[in-house]
């Protein structure tokens, strides 16, 4: 199964980074590829939050995903649901761990491409790695500059 894994150190508290990066309704300002982000449902029960949401990219494609947040371990797991294409499966795991310089933010994406998708896997991996690194660098810049902060 193909995997993308990228990390970046952000000079901020892990809880702050976790809260900002999991504030789905703000993803259109935090990430560079989403024109719209809408929370469909959100349920919190102590340590856990389950979120169902829809994202729309700059090209106008919309899909639904779910996300489980572990507020104690600062881990988010997510899965793309409908439509899955161009994927047959897309599972994500984001972690925010303490680092001497602040937070080590790691994103792991395990996926399979739909057999009908014609872009070669090598090209997809290259694009996804580049895209993830650009997003992580953008988030780092926005958090460290104070352009985006956690909601109180």
């Amino acid at each position: 199964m193909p995997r993308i894994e990228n990390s970046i150190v952000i000079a901020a508290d892990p809880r702050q980074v976790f809260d900002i990066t999991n504030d789905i309704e703000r993803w259109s300002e935090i990430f560079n590829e989403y024109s719209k982000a809408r929370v469909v449902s959100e349920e919190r029960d102590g340590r856990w939050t389950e979120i169902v949401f829809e994202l729309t990219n700059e090209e106008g494609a919309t899909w639904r995903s779910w996300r489980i947040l572990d507020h104690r371990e600062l881990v988010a797991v997510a899965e793309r649901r409908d439509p899955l294409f161009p994927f047959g499966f897309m599972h994500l795991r984001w972690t925010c761990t303490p680092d001497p310089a602040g937070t080590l933010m790691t994103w792991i994406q395990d996926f399979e491409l739909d057999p009908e998708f014609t872009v070669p896997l090598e090209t997809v991996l290259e694009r996804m790695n580049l895209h993830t690194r650009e997003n992580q660098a953008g988030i780092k810049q926005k958090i460290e500059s104070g352009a985006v902060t956690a909601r109180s």
Side-chain angles (χ1 to χ4, degrees), residues 125-141:
L125 289 167
E126 183 179 305
R127 289 177 186 167
M128 288 175 66
N129 266 311
L130 176 64
H131 192 69
T132 298
R133 289 183 193 118
E134 287 173 349
N135 273 312
Q136 287 183 327
I139 288 169
K140 173 184 174 76
Q141 186 278 326

Side-chain angles (χ1 to χ4, degrees), residues 7-62:
S7 298
I8 195 166
V9 174
I10 299 174
D13 177 75
R15 167 113 9 238
Q16 177 189 14
V17 174
F18 182 81
D19 289 347
I20 290 169
T21 58
N22 287 291
D23 189 349
I24 308 292
E25 291 177 336
R26 295 173 68 196
W27 277 15
S28 59
E29 73 180 86
I30 295 168
F31 292 90
N32 60 11
E33 81 262 28
Y34 302 125
S35 62
K36 184 177 178 187
R38 181 176 78 87
V39 172
V40 175
S41 67
E42 183 171 338
E43 295 180 37
R44 178 141 186 194
D45 186 10
R47 170 182 177 175
W48 308 98
T49 298
E50 179 181 28
I51 306 169
V52 176
F53 58 99
E54 290 181 347
L55 297 173
T56 303
N57 67 17
E58 294 174 327
E59 292 81 32
T62 298

Side-chain angles (χ1 to χ4, degrees), residues 77-122:
V77 294
E79 199 168 283
R80 182 170 168 153
R81 281 298 167 114
D82 184 42
L84 277 172
F85 191 84
F87 302 101
F89 174 82
M90 170 58 83
H91 182 260
L92 301 98
R93 179 178 174 87
W94 292 6
T95 61
C96 292
T97 55
D99 182 89
T103 300
L104 177 65
M105 182 177 71
T106 301
W107 295 351
I108 300 169
Q109 299 173 70
D110 293 309
F111 66 95
E112 292 178 1
L113 293 174
D114 186 292
E116 301 294 317
F117 191 58
T118 59
V119 177
L121 176 60
E122 182 177 296

